C-alpha cells in the first residue's frame, strides 16, 4: 500500500496488521479452473473494484467503510460508503478491507475472490454431486446433520443451475476426505450465495466421513411445490413464498390460520409451534401472488393438498402477504446477539416464549464456558467488557447466576427467580467463545474397512445399515443379523448405549447392491469391517431383507402404548407427534411368523387399540429376532 494509506492509518490511530501473501498462487489457479471468480465482474473500467465480496481471505467479516469517515473523504468516488464490501481505492490488483481481530484491534487484509465458492463433486452430471465449499484456501465438505432443500437451492442458484435444489444426505455421492467446513448453513432459501446465509455454523462437533451433504439441482419429488420463508429474524420464520410455474410468489392471508401454518412447517421439515401471521408481518414480497383462500385441515403433507382458490387466482395485494413461524425454542435456549461474529455477543436466554438478557453480576470465565459449551464451541471462553455489545431491550430474565463451569447448559447453574433482578440493561452480560481453528477430520486408516451409515430412520441413531464398497453405497442382508452385529455398527458410529437389530427391511428397502450377508460379529470388534461376512455373490437376499439397527435403544414402557392408543384415537395428531403418520401404503406380502402362540393370540386380541397395538407387537417380534419366510 502507498504512503497515503499509511498516513491515513496513522491519523485514525488504527493499528494495521499486514498479512503475509504467498507469491505461489497455484492453488488459486486450480480454483479458477473449477468455479467462476466472485470478484472478476466487480472491476470497473477505471480499475476500481465495485463488487460484493465482504470477507477477508481468512474468513473474517469486513467492517463498514463509514467507520473510517476520514478515509472515505480521502477517496471520493471510489465506491466507499455505507457498506462492508471489499474495495481497492488505490487501484491495487486485489481488493481489501478493514476487519476486527480477535484481540479487538483493527487490521486490514486482502479479500479472497474465491472465498465461499462452491462445487459439486462425484455426481453423474454437472447438476449433482457432493457439496464442497472453498474457504481460507481449502475445499471442504458440509455436514448433513441440518442439511435442507433450502440450503441446496442456494447452492444451485450460486452455481447458476436453477432456482430449486434437492438436499441429499449420508454421502449419497460417496464420502469425501479432509476438511468439513460447516456443520450447518441455515439458509432461508432466497440468498444468492452461501456466504449470505445468516445461520452458518462452523464445524465444532462430530461430522464424520459418510455424512457429507449432497445436492441435485432439480425439484424434490413428492413434496409439493417448494416453499421458503423470507424476511424473518430467524430461519424458522418469515413470509411464505411458494415456487410455481418457474417463479417464486407469495400467499394472500385471506382465511390464513394456524392449521395452514402447521402444514407449511411440516412441509419445510421444521418442528416447534406453528403460528400464522397476516398483513405482511415479515414484509411485503414481490412478483406474483400464487395462492389465496388457503384452507388446510392441518393433516396435509404439503400446501398444495389444501383447498385454495386456484393458482394466481386472488383479490389481494402484497400488503396481505401471509407469514409463518415454526418456533422450536424451549426454555433455557441461549443465543449471542449484536456481535461481529457468531461466536460472540450479548447473551440472551429464552423463557416462557420471550427472549431476555442476563445480568452480569458475579459473572466469570466458568460462566462463559458453560454458555459456549451449550452453543457447541469447543475452545475457551471469556466474559466481554461491560457494554461491548451494547444494551439490550425488553426483559432481563436472569440474575444471581452461579456456575461451577462443568455444567452442560445455563439451566443447570443455580440462579434467581426468572424475571426477578436488581439490574439495568447497562449490566447485560456479553460473551466471547474461542473457536478451535483446526477442524480437520482424521482420515480412517486403510485397515478399518468400509464406511458405514444409517439411512431411512427418524433420527441419526437408527436406520438401514449401508456400507460403502467398490465406489457405491449398498445394504446388508439380514441373514444372521442380531444385536451383537448391531452393537458393532453403533460402536463404529460413535454410540455407546444399548443396540437393537432390526431385520426384514424395518427401515424401508434400500436400492442398488446388497454388499454383505451372514455377518458374524463376536461383539469385540470396533468396526463392521472386522467381522467375518459373505460378499454380494454368496446370497440370495432381496431388499425386503435389509438389516437395520437402533443405537442408544430405549424401549417404551408398555403402559405408554395403551395410553397413546386410548387418548389419541380419532383425533388429529398434536405437534409432538406430527411426524408419526401412515400414508401412501400398499398391500404387503403375506408372511407366516414362527413365534410362540401367546404372541399370535395377542395379535388377534388387538381389538380397538388398533395400530398402536400392532406396532407394539411388531416391535416385540423384532426384539425377539423372529424369523419370517414367504407363505
Amino acid at each position: 500500500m502507498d504512503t497515503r494509506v499509511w498516513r491515513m492509518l496513522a491519523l485514525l490511530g488504527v493499528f494495521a496488521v499486514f498479512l503475509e501473501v504467498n507469491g505461489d498462487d497455484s492453488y488459486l489457479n486450480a480454483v479458477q479452473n473449477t468455479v467462476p471468480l466472485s470478484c472478476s465482474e466487480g472491476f470497473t473500467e477505471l480499475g476500481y473494484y465495485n463488487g460484493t465480496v465482504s470477507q477477508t481471505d481468512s474468513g473474517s467479516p469486513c467492517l463498514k467503510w463509514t467507520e473510517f469517515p476520514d478515509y472515505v473523504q480521502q477517496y471520493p468516488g471510489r465506491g466507499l460508503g455505507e457498506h462492508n464490501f471489499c474495495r481497492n481505492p488505490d487501484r491495487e490488483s486485489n481488493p481489501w478491507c478493514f476487519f476486527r481481530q480477535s484481540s479487538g484491534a483493527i487490521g486490514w487484509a486482502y479479500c479472497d475472490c474465491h472465498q465461499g465458492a462452491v462445487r459439486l463433486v462425484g455426481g453423474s452430471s454437472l447438476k449433482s454431486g457432493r457439496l464442497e465449499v472453498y474457504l481460507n484456501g481449502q475445499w471442504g465438505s458440509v455436514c448433513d446433520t441440518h442439511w435442507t432443500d433450502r440450503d441446496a437451492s442456494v447452492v444451485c442458484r450460486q452455481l447458476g443451475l436453477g432456482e430449486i435444489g434437492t438436499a441429499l444426505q449420508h454421502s449419497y455421492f460417496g464420502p469425501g476426505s479432509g476438511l468439513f467446513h460447516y456443520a450447518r448453513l441455515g439458509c432461508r432459501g432466497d440468498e444468492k450465495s452461501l456466504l449470505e446465509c445468516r445461520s452458518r455454523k462452523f464445524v465444532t462437533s462430530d461430522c464424520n466421513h459418510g455424512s457429507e451433504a449432497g445436492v441435485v439441482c432439480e425439484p424434490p419429488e413428492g413434496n409439493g411445490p417448494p416453499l421458503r420463508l423470507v424476511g424473518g429474524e430467524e430461519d424458522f420464520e418469515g413470509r411464505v413464498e411458494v415456487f410455481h410455474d418457474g417463479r417464486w410468489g407469495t400467499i394472500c392471508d385471506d382465511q390464513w390460520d394456524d392449521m395452514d401454518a402447521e402444514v407449511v412447517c411440516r412441509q419445510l421439515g421444521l418442528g416447534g409451534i406453528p403460528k400464522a401471521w397476516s398483513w405482511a408481518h415479515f414484509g411485503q414480497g414481490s412478483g406474483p401472488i400464487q395462492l389465496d383462500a388457503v384452507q388446510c385441515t392441518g393433516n396435509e403433507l404439503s400446501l398444495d393438498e389444501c383447498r385454495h382458490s386456484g393458482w394466481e387466482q386472488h383479490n389481494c395485494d402484497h400488503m396481505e402477504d401471509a407469514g409463518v413461524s415454526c418456533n422450536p425454542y424451549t426454555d433455557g435456549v441461549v443465543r449471542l446477539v449484536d456481535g461481529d461474529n457468531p461466536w460472540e455477543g450479548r447473551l440472551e436466554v429464552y423463557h416462557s416464549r420471550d427472549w431476555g438478557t442476563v445480568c452480569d453480576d458475579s459473572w466469570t470465565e466458568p460462566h462463559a464456558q458453560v454458555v459456549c459449551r451449550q452453543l457447541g464451541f469447543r475452545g475457551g471462553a471469556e466474559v466481554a467488557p461491560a457494554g461491548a455489545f451494547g444494551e439490550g431491550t425488553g426483559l432481563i430474565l436472569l440474575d444471581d447466576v452461579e456456575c461451577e463451569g462443568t455444567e452442560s447448559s445455563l439451566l443447570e447453574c443455580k440462579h434467581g427467580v426468572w424475571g426477578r433482578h436488581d439490574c439495568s440493561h447497562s449490566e447485560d452480560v456479553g460473551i466471547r467463545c474461542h473457536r478451535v481453528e483446526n477442524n480437520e477430520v482424521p482420515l480412517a486408516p486403510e485397515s478399518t474397512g468400509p464406511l458405514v451409515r444409517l439411512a431411512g430412520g427418524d433420527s441419526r441413531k437408527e436406520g438401514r445399515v449401508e456400507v460403502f464398497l467398490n465406489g457405491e453405497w449398498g445394504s446388508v442382508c439380514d441373514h444372521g443379523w442380531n444385536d451383537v452385529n448391531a452393537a458393532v455398527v453403533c460402536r463404529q458410529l460413535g454410540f455407546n448405549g444399548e443396540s437393537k437389530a432390526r431385520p426384514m427391511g424395518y427401515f424401508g428397502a434400500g436400492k442398488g447392491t446388497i454388499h454383505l450377508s451372514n455377518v458374524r460379529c463376536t461383539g469385540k470388534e470396533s468396526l463392521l469391517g472386522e467381522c467375518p461376512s459373505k460378499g454380494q455373490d454368496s446370497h440370495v437376499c432381496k431388499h425386503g431383507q435389509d438389516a437395520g439397527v437402533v443405537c442408544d435403544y430405549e424401549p417404551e414402557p408398555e403402559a405408554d402404548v395403551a395410553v397413546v392408543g386410548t387418548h389419541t384415537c380419532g383425533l388429529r395428531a398434536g405437534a409432538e407427534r406430527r411426524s408419526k403418520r401412515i400414508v401412501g401404503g400398499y398391500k404387503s406380502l403375506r408372511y407366516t411368523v414362527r413365534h410362540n402362540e401367546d404372541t399370535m393370540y395377542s395379535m388377534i386380541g388387538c381389538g380397538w387399540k388398533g395400530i398402536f397395538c400392532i406396532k407394539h407387537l411388531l416391535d416385540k417380534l423384532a426384539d425377539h429376532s423372529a424369523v419370517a419366510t414367504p407363505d
Side-chain angles (χ1 to χ4, degrees):
M1 299 179 70
D2 65 23
T3 55
R4 290 175 300 173
V5 178
W6 281 106
R7 191 181 308 118
M8 185 55 60
L9 291 176
L11 288 173
L12 293 172
V14 176
F15 176 66
V17 177
F18 286 83
L19 303 179
E20 293 185 4
V21 178
N22 189 344
D24 179 10
D25 60 355
S26 59
Y27 75 96
L28 286 179
N29 292 334
V31 177
Q32 188 170 353
N33 290 334
T34 55
V35 294
L37 279 168
S38 52
C39 293
S40 60
E41 298 179 358
F43 281 90
T44 66
E45 293 180 359
L46 296 177
Y48 305 125
Y49 173 69
N50 198 41
T52 58
V53 172
S54 59
Q55 286 189 308
T56 69
D57 55 6
S58 62
S60 298
C62 298
L63 298 176
K64 288 187 176 182
W65 292 99
T66 47
E67 294 188 31
F68 310 92
D70 295 338
Y71 198 83
V72 174
Q73 295 175 13
Q74 174 90 3
Y75 294 99
R78 304 291 177 89
L80 308 183
E82 183 65 30
H83 61 78
N84 66 333
F85 301 139
C86 297
R87 291 290 181 262
N88 62 332
D90 299 297
R91 300 186 184 181
E92 292 194 7
S93 58
N94 292 331
W96 59 276
C97 72
F98 293 108
F99 75 102
R100 189 180 305 278
Q101 304 173 76
S102 58
S103 64
I106 302 297
W108 75 268
Y110 289 118
C111 300
D112 188 347
C113 293
H114 306 276
Q115 190 80 351
V118 296
R119 68 183 182 186
L120 303 181
V121 180
S124 57
S125 72
L126 295 176
K127 289 191 171 185
S128 64
R130 181 178 65 253
L131 173 62
E132 293 189 352
V133 184
Y134 184 81
L135 290 178
N136 308 333
Q138 291 181 293
W139 288 102
S141 300
V142 174
C143 194
D144 65 6
T145 309
H146 303 282
W147 185 235
T148 69
D149 290 340
R150 300 185 298 281
D151 302 325
S153 295
V154 175
V155 171
C156 296
R157 184 177 301 118
Q158 183 172 344
L159 289 170
L161 298 175
E163 285 288 308
I164 303 296
T166 300
L168 298 177
Q169 299 178 308
H170 306 303
S171 298
Y172 186 91
F173 297 101
S177 60
L179 292 174
F180 274 84
H181 279 319
Y182 289 115
R184 64 167 291 171
L185 295 175
C187 302
R188 297 183 307 270
D190 64 328
E191 299 90 346
K192 294 180 179 178
S193 72
L194 294 187
L195 292 184
E196 295 179 14
C197 297
R198 296 180 302 175
S199 299
R200 287 176 293 134
K201 182 178 179 181
F202 293 98
V203 168
T204 57
S205 55
D206 59 342
C207 292
N208 302 307
H209 295 305
S211 299
E212 285 91 348
V215 174
V216 176
C217 291
E218 293 178 355
E221 297 179 1
N223 293 325
L227 301 179
R228 68 186 185 189
L229 301 180
V230 181
E233 289 297 321
E234 305 274 5
D235 59 0
F236 55 78
E237 65 181 13
R239 179 177 64 254
V240 182
E241 296 192 353
V242 57
F243 190 77
H244 176 71
D245 199 21
R247 295 185 298 173
W248 285 101
T250 61
I251 298 174
C252 183
D253 64 8
D254 291 347
Q255 302 184 53
W256 189 251
D257 60 24
D258 290 348
M259 294 298 98
D260 307 316
E262 181 168 351
V263 175
V264 171
C265 294
R266 179 182 299 118
Q267 184 174 346
L268 290 172
L270 298 173
I273 301 172
K275 179 175 175 57
W277 297 88
S278 57
W279 293 106
H281 180 84
F282 297 103
Q284 295 185 27
S286 58
I289 296 177
Q290 302 279 30
L291 292 175
D292 188 13
V294 177
Q295 299 178 63
C296 302
T297 67
N299 279 325
E300 295 85 354
L301 293 178
S302 65
L303 202 61
D304 67 322
E305 294 180 9
C306 303
R307 292 175 56 193
H308 55 78
S309 60
W311 291 102
E312 297 193 41
Q313 301 298 313
H314 64 88
N315 58 357
C316 311
D317 57 34
H318 283 297
M319 67 183 297
E320 300 172 83
D321 284 342
V324 159
S325 61
C326 314
N327 193 340
Y329 292 132
T330 57
D331 285 355
V333 173
V334 296
R335 68 183 183 186
L336 301 179
V337 300
D338 288 346
D340 291 330
N341 301 293
W343 50 87
E344 64 179 11
R346 183 176 63 253
L347 175 62
E348 293 190 351
V349 61
Y350 189 81
H351 178 72
S352 295
R353 300 193 177 188
D354 266 314
W355 286 100
T357 59
V358 179
C359 186
D360 64 3
D361 290 352
S362 304
W363 269 73
T364 60
E365 183 178 312
H367 292 73
Q369 187 71 61
V370 173
V371 171
C372 294
R373 182 181 300 117
Q374 183 173 349
L375 290 169
F377 293 103
R378 294 181 296 173
E382 61 182 285
V383 179
F389 304 108
E391 297 183 8
T393 58
L395 299 174
I396 298 175
L397 284 177
L398 281 182
D399 191 10
D400 299 324
V401 180
E402 299 179 18
C403 299
E404 296 180 1
T406 57
E407 297 88 350
S408 59
S409 74
L410 197 62
L411 278 188
E412 295 180 11
C413 302
K414 296 179 180 179
H415 57 79
V417 177
W418 288 98
R420 185 178 299 173
H421 61 87
D422 56 1
C423 308
S424 68
H425 280 298
S426 64
E427 300 171 82
D428 289 342
V429 69
I431 301 292
R432 284 196 178 98
C433 303
H434 298 168
R435 292 173 51 211
V436 175
E437 297 293 341
N438 181 13
N439 66 349
E440 185 169 354
V441 179
L443 293 176
E446 293 184 3
S447 60
T448 61
L451 290 170
V452 174
R453 70 182 184 185
L454 303 182
D458 287 337
S459 72
R460 296 176 67 84
K461 295 184 178 184
E462 64 180 23
R464 182 177 58 255
V465 179
E466 295 187 351
V467 295
F468 192 75
L469 284 174
N470 303 322
E472 64 174 341
W473 288 101
S475 55
V476 177
C477 180
D478 67 0
H479 289 177
W481 192 250
N482 56 32
D483 291 347
V484 176
N485 301 324
V488 174
V489 170
C490 294
R491 187 179 302 127
Q492 180 172 348
L493 293 172
F495 299 106
N496 300 314
E498 183 180 353
S499 307
K500 277 291 179 182
R502 290 295 192 228
M504 297 169 56
Y506 186 91
F507 294 103
K511 297 180 180 179
T513 305
I514 298 176
H515 283 315
L516 301 177
S517 177
N518 291 101
V519 178
R520 304 291 183 185
C521 300
T522 66
K524 298 179 180 180
E525 299 87 352
S526 300
L527 308 153
L528 189 65
E530 298 174 0
C531 302
S533 62
K534 295 181 180 180
Q536 64 185 67
D537 297 327
S538 60
H539 62 79
V540 290
C541 279
K542 297 180 180 179
H543 280 298
Q545 297 168 271
D546 287 338
V549 301
V550 179
C551 302
D552 291 349
Y553 175 77
E554 296 181 5
E556 294 184 7
E558 293 192 17
D560 287 351
V561 176
V563 169
V564 171
T566 302
H567 294 291
T568 65
C569 182
L571 299 179
R572 188 173 62 81
E576 73 280 5
R577 290 190 175 269
R578 69 172 60 156
S579 63
K580 307 299 183 184
R581 305 187 64 203
I582 300 176
V583 296
Y586 56 90
K587 186 175 181 180
S588 63
L589 295 175
R590 294 193 304 125
Y591 284 89
T592 299
V593 182
R594 299 173 187 167
H595 211 274
N596 63 68
E597 291 182 356
D598 291 340
T599 300
M600 295 304 296
Y601 287 132
S602 296
M603 290 185 70
I604 297 171
C606 277
W608 58 269
K609 294 180 182 178
I611 190 64
F612 300 98
C613 177
I614 295 172
K615 179 184 181 301
H616 171 59
L617 290 167
L618 289 175
D619 286 347
K620 242 179 131 179
L621 291 174
D623 291 346
H624 286 82
S625 299
V627 179
T629 57
D631 191 2

